Amino acid sequence: MARIVQKFGGTSVADIERIKNAALRVKREVDAGNQVVVVVSAMAGATNQLVDWTRAMSQLHDTREYDAVVASGEQVTAGLMALALQDLGVNARSWLGWQIPIRTDGMHGKARIEAIETAKLERRLDEGQVAVVAGFQGIGPRGRITTLGRGGSDTSAVALAAALKAERCDIFTDVDGVYTCDPRIVDKARKLARITYEEMLEMASQGAKVLQTRSVAVAMNHRVRVQVLSSFTDTPGTLVVDEDEIVENRVVSGIAYSRDEAKITVAHVADKPGVAAAIFGPLADNAINVDMIVQNVSEDGQTTDMTFTVARADLDRAVAVLEERRAALGFRALKPDSNVAKISVIGVGMRSHAGVAQQMFRTLADRGINIQVISTSEIKVSVLIAADYAELALRALHTAYGLDEAG
């Protein structure tokens, strides 16, 4: 007998028929003799509607009440899933975050899980009951409902799997696994049987939408085996596992992209110690994250151009923050550009192979694609290019690294 956590995303529980279909998958695990915890998202579109209602009621809303409203979507799904299971003859009961309890910090709207008390849950599992848990929510230090941020149900599921020492956490979604690249753009993209935690974390953080970044980080920290599956087919999915479980690593496992980036160049700022802190400090104070950074000495040799990226949604705010400090910073011009895309080549095999970056640069150059910014890590090379060339770059790189090959 194994202990399994199954998580169903919004598209998997979008309506009554899909909830019933998901319940059949849960019953299959129960019939196999396994203990099952089900984590559910809100029905597709429900969270957006709840957020819209909250904002319509009050633009400057109390975040505690925001959480009280927005968390209700998962409560509805959990109750409906429990009813669907009961109709199939499965002993099931719904649980809200505070009933377990899943304890979080007090950061409403984007809380972090601090502890999960599993004694009550485990007792029910040992009695043969399926626990249907509302994802995305917990209880804060003052006894108020908290939510974990968008995509937080993935984090709920993986954290529960870690706390319960589950054999694995199955994430059911509308895709049937993790691909070498977005198959909607690269028709030769292929599904990976396995991918390492580190690669999945990079893929998620660099634009792949299959898993939420925080959930992958939790899985890696606690060594939770995660399987990404489709709710709508019975094909094998992708296992996200420790590097030790993969016999031979490819140099490059996947290519991710993001159109959610924007570039800012601060032109002709004094080339002296402390200039970077003066630019990036105010951005950090305004909760604006900076990603890729490159610094070039200007033609006069006395000033420097600082180029960096921020989330596209933060572009206008970042420009406003810097313009307010133009006199103090002393820059000559500010050049924002939202027509960019970030392309990232990812693979743990890079640690032991040279020339990955060179191949990327040569492949893009051969197609006349100019690289604007570069950043690297141990298992990733990212470049910023004009957005118009994103699809061409993805296809060319996918072929260049041999990812088109079968098997």
Side-chain angles (χ1 to χ4, degrees):
M1 181 176 66
R3 186 173 285 173
I4 308 294
V5 174
Q6 294 184 308
K7 184 264 176 177
F8 294 93
T11 54
S12 303
V13 291
D15 53 37
I16 296 299
E17 286 307 310
R18 288 190 177 182
I19 292 173
K20 288 180 176 180
N21 180 65
L24 289 171
R25 291 184 178 274
V26 177
K27 186 176 187 296
R28 198 180 304 169
E29 289 290 353
V30 174
D31 291 345
N34 295 325
Q35 293 184 346
V36 185
V37 175
V38 182
V39 176
V40 292
S41 297
M43 298 165 78
T47 300
N48 288 340
Q49 179 66 79
L50 294 167
V51 171
D52 289 346
W53 283 342
T54 305
R55 288 176 176 162
M57 185 59 69
S58 173
Q59 281 295 321
L60 299 174
H61 50 256
D62 183 328
T63 55
R64 293 165 295 186
E65 301 307 334
Y66 169 93
D67 278 355
V69 173
V70 175
S72 66
E74 282 71 19
Q75 177 173 339
V76 170
T77 317
L80 291 173
M81 177 64 79
L83 289 171
L85 289 166
Q86 289 171 10
D87 271 2
L88 294 173
V90 176
N91 180 9
R93 185 62 66 200
S94 64
W95 296 71
L96 303 184
W98 63 267
Q99 291 174 304
I100 293 174
I102 297 174
R103 300 200 180 277
T104 74
D105 62 19
M107 189 64 68
H108 287 274
K110 49 184 176 181
R112 302 189 75 84
I113 296 172
E114 294 186 337
I116 301 178
E117 297 171 22
T118 61
K120 289 187 289 185
L121 206 58
E122 293 193 83
R123 188 164 60 249
R124 295 290 187 91
L125 291 172
D126 289 339
E127 292 171 359
Q129 189 174 87
V130 171
V132 183
V133 179
F136 176 61
Q137 61 177 247
I139 182 168
R142 296 190 176 184
R144 300 284 313 181
I145 292 171
T146 56
T147 62
L148 308 182
R150 299 309 291 264
S153 291
D154 281 358
T155 304
S156 299
V158 175
L160 274 165
L164 292 165
K165 296 180 173 55
E167 181 173 301
R168 69 175 190 275
C169 178
D170 290 342
I171 306 284
F172 288 93
T173 181
D174 54 359
V175 297
D176 63 349
V178 180
Y179 280 73
T180 51
C181 196
D182 188 338
R184 295 169 299 181
I185 295 175
V186 180
D187 57 8
K188 293 181 180 178
R190 55 189 177 77
K191 186 168 62 179
L192 297 166
R194 296 184 178 216
I195 187 171
T196 69
Y197 295 119
E198 290 173 281
E199 289 169 329
M200 191 67 246
L201 189 59
E202 290 284 12
M203 293 278 278
S205 63
Q206 300 307 317
K209 307 292 192 213
V210 179
L211 286 175
Q212 197 256 358
T213 307
R214 275 170 60 191
S215 70
V216 182
V218 172
M220 184 167 67
N221 290 340
H222 295 278
R223 292 299 184 259
V224 175
R225 299 172 88 245
V226 175
Q227 184 173 207
V228 180
L229 299 151
S230 170
S231 294
F232 311 115
T233 66
D234 283 325
T235 55
T238 299
L239 273 172
V240 186
V241 295
D242 194 87
E243 191 174 344
D244 295 342
E245 291 195 50
I246 297 179
V247 177
E248 186 173 353
N249 291 314
R250 297 184 71 100
V251 177
V252 171
S253 294
I255 303 171
Y257 75 101
S258 172
R259 298 181 188 271
D260 300 328
E261 309 281 324
K263 180 182 72 170
I264 298 175
T265 298
V266 183
H268 294 278
V269 67
D271 187 16
K272 62 182 181 181
V275 66
I279 292 171
F280 298 125
L283 295 175
D285 292 342
N286 284 272
I288 298 170
N289 289 326
V290 173
D291 184 16
M292 310 169 82
I293 303 172
V294 64
Q295 183 175 355
N296 296 311
V297 176
S298 301
E299 293 177 5
D300 58 17
Q302 302 299 311
T303 59
T304 186
D305 293 345
M306 190 80 72
T307 299
F308 55 92
T309 62
V310 298
R312 185 176 296 186
D314 290 334
L315 178 61
D316 291 343
R317 200 155 51 94
V319 169
V321 167
L322 293 171
E323 285 288 6
E324 285 175 7
R325 292 159 178 80
R326 180 187 281 260
L329 294 170
F331 59 82
R332 190 178 303 171
L334 205 58
K335 302 173 184 177
D337 181 5
S338 60
N339 188 38
V340 294
K342 181 168 66 173
I343 311 292
S344 302
V345 170
I346 296 157
V348 291
M350 289 187 196
R351 293 196 189 109
S352 54
H353 288 78
V356 174
Q358 179 190 8
Q359 186 171 15
M360 185 182 198
F361 304 154
R362 185 172 62 244
T363 300
L364 296 177
D366 288 347
R367 280 144 184 91
I369 301 173
N370 184 50
I371 297 172
Q372 301 177 19
V373 186
I374 302 167
S375 71
T376 64
S377 73
E378 191 179 27
I379 66 165
K380 176 199 71 184
V381 181
S382 296
V383 297
L384 198 72
I385 62 173
D388 295 343
Y389 293 101
E391 294 189 9
L392 173 62
L394 288 171
R395 295 188 188 104
L397 291 168
H398 199 269
T399 300
Y401 289 108
L403 296 177
D404 293 351
E405 300 166 9

